[in-house]
Amino acid sequence: GNVIASHDHNGGTNPKFPQELQPRDRSRDSSQAWVQKTAANLDPDSLGKTGRADTGAPIVGPDLVVESGNGRTMAIQLAYARGTADEYRAWLVEEAEYFGFKPEQVEAMHQPILVRIRKTEVDRAAFAVEANQDDKLSFSATERARSDAKRIDDNMSMLFNPSEDGDLLAASNSKFIQAFLRSLGDTEAAQYTTTDGKPTQALVA
């Protein structure tokens, strides 16, 4: 109950959560369907230790605001509300010592949830976007556009120079395109270029 997710398990916005840290619309039907399905069949092993940010125990800041794993957090909270979290709770008790706790500590908690707490200083909004890039629930077009728009700073904007008829792939706009692709990182940028390095229509969209 102390972990602050972006939305409640019914899809309602949490006023305590800084919404700039949530690049997804967790109120949309597909997101809610994922939360409902996950809550009904919580898989403890997928909510534990991992080297990835988009799987495993949710990642929170020192203030317990979720930075990666809002969907997972919502699903766990819904499972507790529905009474379908018994297996997850039993797993936490069984694995308590592995995670540095005593079983009695976990048993004393009303609704225990395993989280990872970020220790290093980061740009929280940027981290939230990057940590969700490989999440199982894909970004909608609107979510991706909103996320990508945050990458475009003043320096990049000064490079924006499409042709007179608005062609974003015009040679005059190549410096902007390259700067934008660099902001995405190699892995994500790869899906927006052809094998010979030319930008695709997906990049235009």
Side-chain angles (χ1 to χ4, degrees):
N2 295 329
V3 178
I4 303 172
S6 61
H7 295 70
D8 62 33
H9 50 70
N10 293 315
T13 302
N14 184 353
K16 296 180 180 179
F17 186 91
Q19 290 299 317
E20 66 271 14
L21 301 185
Q22 175 53 283
R24 300 183 184 281
D25 179 3
R26 285 293 179 187
S27 63
R28 62 187 172 109
D29 291 344
S30 57
S31 180
Q32 280 302 296
W34 184 91
V35 169
Q36 299 272 341
K37 180 179 179 180
T38 303
N41 298 282
L42 277 187
D43 176 16
D45 289 333
S46 69
L47 297 168
K49 183 179 180 180
T50 176
R52 297 172 60 97
D54 64 322
T55 60
I59 299 174
V60 302
D63 54 2
L64 296 186
V65 168
V66 177
E67 296 176 348
S68 179
N70 275 290
R72 282 164 274 160
T73 303
M74 292 159 61
I76 294 170
Q77 292 173 338
L78 177 58
Y80 275 120
R82 286 182 170 177
T84 57
D86 290 349
E87 183 181 351
Y88 175 73
R89 185 188 180 95
W91 174 81
L92 288 177
V93 173
E94 185 178 330
E95 299 292 328
E97 292 185 358
Y98 175 78
F99 291 114
F101 300 95
K102 293 181 179 179
E104 310 87 77
Q105 289 177 293
V106 180
E107 290 172 338
M109 296 179 185
H110 178 53
Q111 295 182 346
I113 172 174
L114 180 70
V115 297
R116 291 173 282 177
I117 301 178
R118 174 184 52 76
K119 296 294 187 181
T120 53
E121 290 297 322
V122 296
D123 179 327
R124 296 185 85 178
F127 174 69
V129 170
E130 292 173 8
N132 279 280
Q133 281 182 352
D134 294 319
D135 203 350
K136 300 299 179 287
L137 183 64
S138 298
F139 277 119
S140 68
T142 304
E143 290 171 341
R144 184 167 297 282
R146 186 183 299 119
S147 173
D148 287 345
K150 294 177 181 178
R151 303 177 186 275
I152 303 176
D153 56 21
D154 291 342
N155 291 330
M156 200 185 300
S157 295
M158 292 174 65
L159 301 174
F160 188 65
N161 187 27
S163 64
E164 291 186 5
D165 62 355
D167 182 7
L168 296 176
L169 299 184
S172 60
N173 204 37
S174 61
K175 289 185 178 179
F176 172 81
I177 291 174
Q178 291 305 314
F180 179 72
L181 287 172
R182 282 195 298 272
S183 76
L184 296 177
D186 293 341
T187 301
E188 190 174 352
Q191 65 182 304
Y192 293 123
T193 54
T194 61
T195 53
D196 55 358
K198 294 181 179 179
T200 65
Q201 286 301 313
L203 178 63
V204 175

